[in-house]
Amino acid sequence: MIPRFLSGDLNYKNLTAFTKHVRSCPECMEELTIRYLVGEGISRLEEGDNFDLQRGLEEKLEEADDRILLHRIMQVLIISAETLGVTAVVLIAVMVFVL
Ligand SMILES: [Zn+2]
């Protein structure tokens, strides 16, 4: 999943599993760091960009966390909207039946 994470191709489910795993697995974190350095790092160096690899990677992981959090909030809102929708339909049905 590392190349797909770096190219931003992981879906929500895989992204959640990936960030969780990589933070608790030193081997995968090392692999991710190396691949990040090879990919991102070299292109930045070529551009003469003075950049902090460790910070860049941490920012990328934090971005992933933000995306996961946003996705969760959206899900809660969607579920709430659906629940409210069902409640509204039931209320209307009860009103129609009673009145
Ligand atoms: Zn691992």
Side-chain angles (χ1 to χ4, degrees), residues 2 21-22 24-29:
I2 289 171
H21 177 83
V22 87
S24 62
C25 178
E27 286 121 63
C28 288
M29 186 51 110

Side-chain angles (χ1 to χ4, degrees), residues 22-62:
V22 87
R23 285 199 160 101
S24 62
C25 178
E27 286 121 63
C28 288
M29 186 51 110
E30 196 189 333
E31 177 77 18
L32 174 62
T33 306
I34 290 165
R35 281 175 185 256
Y36 181 73
L37 174 66
V38 170
E40 195 91 358
I42 286 169
S43 66
R44 296 277 189 109
L45 285 172
E46 278 171 354
E47 288 163 19
D49 206 346
N50 190 7
F51 104 114
D52 182 341
L53 167 73
Q54 207 60 50
R55 212 177 132 227
L57 181 57
E58 193 46 49
E59 275 170 9
K60 204 168 170 63
L61 283 168
E62 276 164 18

